[in-house]
């Protein structure tokens, strides 16, 4: 309790300093947190007094109060740690304002030199990929240029406000300039990484096309089934939709469509086999399901890892759920692909179902991530246009 009380006193002093440096609006949350922790610590002192009364109660009552006091003091420390660490970054930036201003200007100059290269890259990619594929990056150079212009304006405002002693306004303008530079760098980086991602998608597309053709040949040898026939038609249509050589294409869209049609065909074939023969799923069914799940999980991981800062919590949560389900699937399999041939027959259906769940969660994470990326780019474009 004494340590928590001292921490509150020190934090109150820090709040006063931060208010003088950043303004009252920037420290509202810390002020509210101090009110809450003081109230909590007062309750802890009250419980401590009860334990020192003439009749404190049973030994269990006393112990329960002490445990509660410890919990309350730990909560006080945790809340203050969270609030002061969040404010410390802003205080640090305010103290280092001249240094950060110089750094922003240097970053703007460096990034502006990259814009022409990004435009050349877009022109080169346009000769190979369709407009739909390039939609995610074709406007990036122009958006980055607007953001850099806004960053220059904001850092000039920050410098003037800082020199005039208006620290709160200077801090707001400086944070805006730093964020604009960060977003501009993200846009330019996305142009550079797009080509590698597209090449990877093209390579994967070629491999998936071969797999799909083999799957079609194998499916045609299966016992007749209306569902299998329908999914064969869907996969054939996806293959037929692939453009001929020399035509600009969208490898991401074609890869996604083929994988989805392939997964549906696998599920239909497996269901038809089980229904027709009433047999437990064969080992190769487990292999196919896990391979498809891992492939979709890898794609979702790559997209989300390559676009950090653009992806919302929903997509990240779906990816985490898919990865968690994949770990559980590994436990069922013995955590090794080599364990699949010896997995018990009663576990095979469960493994296939879990792999399907992994694939569906990964596919949903990928869909949400692409939605977030597109939405972030549209917001960035509108904000940069409005500010300019």
């Amino acid at each position: 309790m004494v340590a928590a009380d001292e921490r509150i006193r020190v934090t109150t002093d820090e709040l006063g300093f931060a208010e003088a440096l950043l303004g009252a609006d920037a420290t509202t949350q810390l002020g509210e947190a101090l009110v809450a922790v003081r109230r909590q610590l007062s309750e802890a002192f009250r419980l401590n007094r009860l334990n020192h009364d003439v009749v404190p109660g049973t030994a269990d009552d006393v112990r329960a109060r002490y445990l509660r006091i410890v919990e309350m003091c730990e909560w006080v420390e945790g809340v203050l740690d969270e609030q002061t660490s969040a404010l410390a970054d802003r205080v640090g930036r305010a103290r280092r304002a001249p240094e950060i201003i110089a750094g922003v200007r240097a970053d703007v100059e460096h990034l502006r030199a990259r814009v022409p290269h990004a435009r050349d890259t877009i022109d080169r990619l346009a000769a190979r990929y369709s407009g739909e594929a390039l939609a995610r990056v074709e406007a990036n150079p122009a958006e980055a240029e607007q953001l850099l212009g806004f960053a220059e304006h904001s850092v000039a405002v920050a410098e003037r406000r800082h020199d005039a002693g208006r620290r709160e306004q200077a801090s707001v303008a400086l944070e805006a300039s730093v964020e604009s530079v960060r977003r501009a760098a993200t846009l330019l980086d996305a142009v550079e990484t797009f080509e590698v991602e597209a090449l990877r998608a093209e390579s994967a597309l070629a491999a998936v096309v071969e797999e799909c053709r083999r799957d079609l040949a194998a499916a045609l040898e299966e016992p007749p089934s209306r569902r299998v026939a329908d999914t064969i038609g869907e996969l054939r249509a996806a293959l037929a939709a692939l453009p001929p050589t020399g035509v600009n294409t969208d490898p991401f869209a074609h890869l996604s469509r083929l994988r989805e049609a392939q997964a549906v065909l696998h599920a239909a074939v497996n269901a038809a086999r089980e229904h027709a023969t009433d047999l437990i799923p064969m080992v190769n069914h487990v292999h196919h399901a896990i391979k498809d799940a891992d492939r979709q999980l890898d794609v979702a991981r790559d997209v989300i890892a390559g676009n950090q800062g653009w992806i919302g919590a929903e997509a990240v949560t779906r990816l985490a759920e898919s990865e968690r389900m994949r770990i559980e699937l590994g436990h069922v399999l013995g955590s090794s692909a080599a364990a699949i041939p010896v997995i018990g027959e009663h576990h095979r259906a469960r493994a296939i179902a879990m792999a399907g769940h992994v694939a569906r969660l990964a596919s949903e994470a990928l869909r949400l991530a692409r939605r977030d990326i597109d939405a972030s780019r549209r917001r960035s474009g509108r904000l940069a246009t409005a500010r300019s």
Side-chain angles (χ1 to χ4, degrees):
M1 288 189 300
V2 172
D5 188 53
E6 176 64 14
R7 179 68 189 280
I8 290 175
R9 187 193 66 76
V10 171
T11 303
T12 302
D13 293 341
E14 292 177 357
L15 175 62
F17 175 78
E19 285 180 349
L21 190 62
L22 302 175
D25 290 343
T27 59
T28 300
Q29 288 187 342
L30 179 57
E32 293 174 350
L34 279 170
V35 172
V37 298
R38 287 192 185 103
R39 186 164 52 246
Q40 190 82 322
L41 192 61
S42 295
E43 177 64 12
F45 274 105
R46 187 188 71 81
L47 293 176
N48 187 58
R49 286 195 299 272
L50 289 176
N51 277 354
H52 291 84
D53 279 350
V54 177
V55 184
T58 66
D60 288 341
D61 291 338
V62 172
R63 176 177 175 78
R65 289 192 195 105
Y66 278 135
L67 290 174
R68 178 58 180 155
I69 289 169
V70 171
E71 290 176 357
M72 296 170 81
C73 291
E74 289 176 347
W75 181 84
V76 167
E77 294 279 0
V79 169
L80 294 181
D81 283 342
E82 180 181 356
Q83 293 296 327
T84 55
S85 63
L87 192 61
D89 292 338
R90 300 187 67 180
V91 171
R93 284 196 296 271
R95 287 174 172 171
R96 298 183 294 108
E99 176 187 344
I100 295 175
I101 288 171
V104 168
R105 286 186 168 138
D107 290 340
V108 168
E109 183 178 355
H110 171 70
L111 292 173
R112 183 161 281 142
R114 292 175 54 189
V115 172
H117 174 70
R119 289 197 175 101
D120 292 341
T121 301
I122 294 294
D123 292 340
R124 184 174 67 252
L125 293 172
R128 184 176 183 88
Y129 302 109
S130 66
E132 291 79 6
L134 286 174
R136 68 173 77 177
V137 294
E138 63 181 350
N140 284 22
E143 293 177 9
E145 185 67 50
Q146 288 181 330
L147 287 168
L148 292 175
F150 177 75
E152 283 184 322
H153 172 72
S154 298
V155 81
V157 171
E159 189 171 41
R160 290 195 298 270
R161 296 296 188 272
H162 183 270
D163 292 342
R166 299 162 72 176
R167 300 298 178 85
E168 181 178 358
Q169 296 179 0
S171 177
V172 172
L174 189 56
E175 288 182 8
S177 66
V178 170
E179 176 62 14
S180 295
V181 167
R182 185 196 66 77
R183 288 166 49 205
T186 299
L187 289 171
L188 295 176
D189 290 342
V191 173
E192 295 180 0
T193 58
F194 175 85
E195 189 167 21
V196 175
E197 291 180 1
L199 290 172
R200 185 181 299 158
E202 283 190 273
S203 176
L205 180 61
V208 171
V209 166
E210 292 302 316
E211 288 182 9
C212 289
R213 288 171 178 162
R214 289 194 296 269
D215 290 342
L216 281 175
L220 291 172
E221 298 177 0
E222 295 293 328
S225 163
R226 177 63 179 274
R227 179 57 181 154
V228 171
D230 290 342
T231 57
I232 286 175
E234 293 171 6
L235 185 53
R236 280 176 170 168
L239 287 170
L242 294 173
T245 303
V247 176
N248 289 8
T249 184
D250 183 351
F252 304 102
H254 289 300
L255 184 61
S256 179
R257 182 179 178 186
L258 280 179
R259 279 176 167 160
E260 182 177 354
Q262 185 185 33
V264 172
L265 176 62
H266 288 166
V269 168
N270 291 338
R273 287 174 179 172
E274 292 174 20
H275 179 72
T277 62
D278 197 27
L279 292 177
I280 296 170
M282 302 299 289
V283 170
N284 64 326
H285 298 174
V286 183
H287 275 291
H288 280 302
I290 294 172
K291 185 176 181 181
D292 179 68
D294 287 341
R295 183 165 54 235
Q296 296 202 47
L297 186 55
D298 287 340
V299 172
R301 282 195 189 111
D302 289 343
V303 171
I304 291 176
N307 294 276
Q308 291 182 1
W310 295 65
I311 307 299
E314 194 175 2
V316 174
T317 299
R318 291 294 174 277
L319 179 63
E321 291 171 352
S322 181
E323 290 176 330
R324 189 160 52 247
M325 180 60 68
R326 183 61 181 87
I327 292 172
E328 293 178 11
L329 175 57
H331 294 325
V332 171
L333 301 174
S335 301
S336 170
I340 296 177
V342 297
I343 186 172
E345 292 180 347
H346 59 289
H347 285 315
R348 292 178 192 170
R350 181 187 175 195
I352 290 175
M354 292 177 71
H357 195 189
V358 171
R360 286 191 295 275
L361 288 170
S363 178
E364 177 67 5
L366 181 61
R367 184 188 68 79
L368 293 170
R370 287 176 173 166
R371 181 202 66 183
D372 292 341
I373 292 169
D374 292 339
S376 296
R377 291 192 175 116
R378 287 194 296 271
R379 284 197 301 271
S380 297
R382 289 196 298 268
L383 181 60
T385 301
R387 288 174 172 170
S388 62

